[in-house]
């Protein structure tokens, strides 16, 4: 199975909704554990990397994709 690719600052979609109703989370810290922040209510949670990778559906918005489009517009 292919490993999921994600980076610091990405907005990801999780399998389960946060209690506030949003299922979009921003990655704010990476290491052995991953800290994610709910886009809806700004609550942050620290979870083990293995559990995060299991519960993440997909990357909705990548931080690097936004930077690349800005750089191409500046040229």
């Amino acid at each position: 199975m292919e490993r999921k690719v994600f980076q610091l600052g990405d907005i990801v979609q999780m399998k389960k909704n946060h209690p506030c109703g949003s299922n979009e989370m921003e990655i704010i810290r990476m290491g052995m554990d991953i800290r994610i922040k709910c886009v809806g209510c700004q609550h942050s949670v620290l979870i083990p990397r293995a559990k995060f990778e299991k519960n993440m559906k997909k990357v909705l918005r990548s931080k690097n994709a936004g930077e690349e489009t800005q750089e191409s517009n500046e040229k």
Side-chain angles (χ1 to χ4, degrees):
M1 190 161 128
E2 185 178 325
R3 286 190 65 108
K4 297 177 182 174
V5 178
F6 50 88
Q7 297 177 350
L8 192 65
D10 288 355
I11 306 292
V12 297
Q13 181 180 20
M14 303 300 284
K15 288 183 181 176
K16 292 186 179 180
N17 288 349
H18 189 254
C20 74
S22 175
N23 66 347
E24 295 182 9
M25 301 284 184
E26 178 183 0
I27 301 172
I28 57 175
R29 179 180 177 271
M30 289 178 53
M32 284 298 293
D33 296 324
I34 307 252
R35 183 169 297 275
I36 54 176
K37 179 172 67 172
C38 178
V39 173
C41 67
Q42 306 302 311
H43 184 258
S44 68
V45 181
L46 185 69
I47 58 176
R49 180 180 282 264
K51 186 174 181 180
F52 172 80
E53 289 179 355
K54 178 183 167 200
N55 292 330
M56 183 185 88
K57 270 189 178 177
K58 62 182 176 180
V59 175
L60 297 175
R61 292 183 296 277
S62 178
K63 183 178 179 183
N64 286 344
E67 291 174 358
E68 290 171 5
T69 55
Q70 282 182 341
E71 289 173 5
S72 62
N73 289 340
E74 291 172 358
K75 291 181 182 176

